[in-house]
Amino acid sequence: MNSIQTEHRLEYQDIRELYSSGCKEKSDFKIGLEYERLPISSETGLAVDYFSELGICNFLRTFAKYENWDYITDDYNIIGLKQGHDTITLEPGCQVELSIEPQKTIQELEKKVANLNKLMQPVLSKMGIKLLNYGVSPLSTHKNIKLIPKKRYEIMAKYLWGILSDVMMRETAGVQGAFDFSSEEDAVRKLKIANMLSPFVTAMFANSPIRGGVETGYKSFRALSWLNTDNDRCGFCNKLQDDFSFDEYINYVLETPVIFINRECGPIRVNGKINFKEFMLSGFEGYDATLDDYLLQANLCFPDVRLRNFVEIRNHDCGKGQTPYAVLAIYKGILHNPSAMNDLEELFSSAKYSDFNELRYNVPKSALNAKFCKHFVKDYAKEILYIAEKSLIELNCGDEKYLDFIKEYTLNGLTPADIIIKNWHGLWRKNINKLIDFVS
C-alpha cells in the first residue's frame, strides 16, 4: 500500500497510474489499520502537550531509545517514529496514532498492536501518560491544546474555515481501515459501498458524547466536528453514481482548492487561490505541478472514504476493547466477498444519494436512533452485521469473532455512547474521572 513518489512535471497519466498501480490479485489482499488515541495526564486528566518534560516529544524520544525506533522529523522536531513499515505518529493535538503494516488477517493486526502497546506502556506509565480510547478530548478543549510543531498543521489550522475545524484537529481520535482492490471496477464498487456503509458504522461506534467535562447532546461529537471542518474537502467524494471511475475521483481532487505546496525552500502557501486543475494548467508563482504536489493535495482532501492505491475508510470514533478490529471486521466481511457486496447493494437498492447525505448530518446526534428511508439506523445496522458475519464465516478466516464486541451493543440498539451517557447521569454522577477510567 505504498504511494508512488516522483519530482518530474505532472501529467494526467501519472496521476491515473497512482491509482491503477494499486490493483492486486485477490490472493494478495491485505488490511491496513490506523488507530488514534488521546494522551492525557494520569494526574490531572488534561491533554498532554508536546514540549513539557513529561510531554509527547519526550515520550517519543525515550521510546525510540529503548526500542530502537527511528525518528520522523519536521524541521528537526520529532513528530513520529518508524520501524520497518510500522509508525507511531502525532496528529495535530498530540494524538498518538499507530499505523500498522497491512496484514492478511485482523488477528495479525491485533497481535502487532498488542505487542506495540506492551512495549509503550512502561514508558507511558513512567511519564504519567494515559492513552484514551475515546473519540474526543474529555476535559481539555482546543483552546488549551497547542498544535505540535509541524508546518503542515500550522498552515491547515489557519486555512480550514469550518467552525469546528480546531476541534477536529486538536481534540479528536478515530479508527481508519484500508482495503485493497483488484481492478478499477472493483475499486470504484468498494468506494461506493464503503460510502454507503460509513454513516451506519459511524453510528454503531459512536463514542464521544462528553467533551470539555460536559455532555454535548451528541453521541459522536467527533463526527460532528468533521461536518464542520471544510465542505470543500470533507464528506462524500462523489454522489454514488453508477459511472464513477478513477477519473471522477481524480477530478474531485483536482477541483479542490490548494492549501499549500512544498518546495526545498519550505511550504508555499496558496490559501485556496486556485484549485489543483488550475495549478496543473498554469502553475503557481512560477512553480509547475508535480506528482508530489498531487499526493499532498490528495492527502489534504478528507472525504469519509478516500481513494489512494487502496480504499481508505476514515469516519469512526476511537473506542475501547475490540473497537478497531470490529470496525475492520465489518468492512472486510463485506468488501472481501462479492456476494456480501451484492447483499449490501440490495439492502440499499431503494435509497438515493440524498438519503445517505442526510444521514451523515443526523448520525452525530442520534446515532442508531437516526432515521434512514423511514426506518431506524439500528435496524439497518443489524442487517449489516448479519451480512458481514455470514461473509466472514464463508471466507473461513476466523475474523468473524471480532464482530462479537459490537454485536453486544448493536443487537440491543445501543452504542458505546449510550452506555457512557447512562453512567454519566447515573453511577458516575457527572464525574469526569469516572469517564476517564472507563475509556483508559
Side-chain angles (χ1 to χ4, degrees):
M1 295 185 178
N2 295 322
S3 296
I4 299 170
Q5 298 277 344
T6 187
E7 285 294 341
H8 72 264
R9 182 170 180 173
L10 184 61
E11 301 291 342
Y12 184 85
Q13 189 56 39
D14 296 325
I15 299 176
R16 220 178 186 288
E17 174 60 24
L18 173 68
Y19 299 103
S20 60
S21 68
C23 298
K24 294 179 174 64
E25 296 293 331
K26 293 181 181 179
S27 59
D28 294 329
F29 279 3
K30 293 182 178 179
I31 306 166
L33 170 66
E34 293 185 358
Y35 172 28
E36 302 167 354
R37 283 172 290 180
L38 303 164
I40 67 160
S41 165
S42 301
E43 183 178 346
T44 66
L46 298 174
V48 173
D49 70 1
Y50 179 87
F51 290 103
S52 69
E53 183 179 352
L54 298 178
I56 288 297
C57 181
N58 276 339
F59 160 70
L60 293 176
R61 185 179 287 114
T62 304
F63 181 79
K65 178 181 177 181
Y66 287 170
E67 300 298 335
N68 196 31
W69 284 55
D70 297 321
Y71 291 159
I72 301 170
T73 60
D74 186 272
D75 199 19
Y76 302 103
N77 294 301
I78 303 170
I79 57 170
L81 306 175
K82 60 183 177 180
Q83 188 178 77
H85 295 286
D86 298 332
T87 63
I88 304 170
T89 55
L90 301 181
E91 293 298 298
C94 285
Q95 303 98 315
V96 176
E97 178 185 279
L98 306 185
S99 182
I100 305 301
E101 180 181 8
Q103 302 291 321
K104 287 276 191 180
T105 68
I106 299 172
Q107 185 173 348
E108 291 172 300
L109 289 171
E110 181 190 26
K111 184 177 180 180
K112 294 198 71 168
V113 171
N115 181 62
L116 191 46
N117 284 338
K118 184 179 179 180
L119 293 175
M120 292 193 300
Q121 193 54 53
V123 181
L124 291 167
S125 297
K126 185 176 181 180
M127 299 184 68
I129 298 173
K130 288 183 177 180
L131 297 182
L132 298 188
N133 293 287
Y134 191 59
V136 72
S137 179
L139 190 55
S140 301
T141 65
H142 65 88
K143 294 181 180 179
N144 45 39
I145 299 177
K146 294 182 180 179
L147 291 173
I148 70 169
K150 184 176 180 178
K151 293 175 183 176
R152 166 176 165 169
Y153 293 156
E154 177 190 351
I155 296 170
M156 287 172 57
K158 291 181 179 179
Y159 176 85
L160 296 175
W161 50 266
I163 59 172
L164 294 179
S165 60
D166 283 327
V167 174
M168 179 280 292
M169 290 187 69
R170 304 178 195 222
E171 296 184 34
T172 63
V175 173
Q176 300 180 20
F179 297 86
D180 287 322
F181 50 79
S182 60
S183 64
E184 179 172 356
E185 181 183 11
D186 187 44
V188 169
R189 188 183 187 194
K190 286 176 176 174
L191 189 82
K192 291 166 61 177
I193 288 174
N195 270 315
M196 294 176 187
L197 278 173
S198 177
F200 293 91
V201 184
T202 298
M204 293 162 71
F205 290 90
N207 188 46
S208 49
I210 311 297
R211 169 188 175 252
V214 298
E215 185 184 356
T216 63
Y218 290 84
K219 294 183 180 180
S220 178
F221 201 88
R222 185 206 54 81
L224 178 70
S225 74
W226 274 107
L227 292 175
N228 292 275
T229 288
D230 184 335
N231 288 343
D232 289 331
R233 61 192 68 246
C234 300
F236 285 142
C237 62
N238 67 85
K239 294 189 176 182
L240 310 180
Q241 66 265 37
D242 290 335
D243 60 349
F244 196 70
S245 64
F246 283 165
D247 297 300
E248 291 292 327
Y249 187 85
I250 292 168
N251 195 53
Y252 156 76
V253 177
L254 296 183
E255 292 185 348
T256 302
V258 179
I259 301 178
F260 71 99
I261 58 175
N262 280 322
R263 291 297 183 269
E264 287 187 8
C265 59
I268 297 166
R269 302 186 189 216
V270 181
N271 292 326
K273 295 175 184 176
I274 57 173
N275 64 30
F276 201 87
K277 183 180 292 185
E278 293 167 329
F279 181 33
M280 284 184 66
L281 289 172
S282 305
F284 180 76
E285 295 185 355
Y287 294 103
D288 291 326
T290 69
L291 187 54
D292 282 339
D293 293 325
Y294 179 84
L295 289 168
L296 175 62
Q297 171 76 359
N299 287 340
L300 291 172
C301 293
F302 310 113
D304 294 355
V305 182
R306 185 157 59 180
L307 184 64
R308 300 193 177 192
N309 44 15
F310 51 89
V311 174
E312 180 185 71
I313 312 170
R314 310 178 56 256
N315 199 14
H316 322 98
D317 284 358
C318 175
K320 62 187 294 187
Q322 298 283 288
T323 291
Y325 317 114
V327 169
L328 296 180
I330 292 172
Y331 289 111
K332 178 181 178 179
I334 293 171
L335 298 181
H336 279 205
N337 190 333
S339 66
M341 288 196 283
N342 291 338
D343 291 342
L344 198 284
E345 288 166 338
E346 178 62 27
L347 178 65
F348 294 135
S349 60
S350 62
K352 302 175 182 177
Y353 165 76
S354 57
D355 297 320
F356 292 100
N357 197 40
E358 181 182 354
L359 180 60
R360 290 182 62 250
Y361 286 87
N362 292 333
V363 157
K365 187 174 185 65
S366 302
L368 292 180
N369 289 323
K371 282 287 194 74
F372 180 78
C373 295
K374 300 181 181 180
H375 299 283
F376 287 105
V377 168
K378 56 189 172 186
D379 298 322
Y380 286 94
K382 293 172 185 177
E383 288 297 316
I384 290 167
L385 281 179
Y386 172 76
I387 293 170
E389 183 173 44
K390 178 174 176 286
S391 172
L392 289 170
I393 292 171
E394 290 175 2
L395 292 172
N396 194 31
C397 58
D399 284 341
E400 66 273 8
K401 67 182 181 182
Y402 294 105
L403 295 176
D404 291 344
F405 170 82
I406 195 61
K407 281 168 64 178
E408 290 188 21
Y409 291 96
T410 303
L411 298 184
N412 289 299
L414 298 171
T415 70
D418 291 309
I419 304 302
I420 289 172
I421 292 169
K422 180 181 177 180
N423 285 328
W424 182 255
H425 293 286
L427 293 174
W428 298 350
R429 298 183 180 180
K430 300 184 181 180
N431 184 335
I432 195 67
N433 292 320
K434 297 289 187 181
L435 169 62
I436 289 171
D437 289 342
F438 185 72
V439 299
S440 294

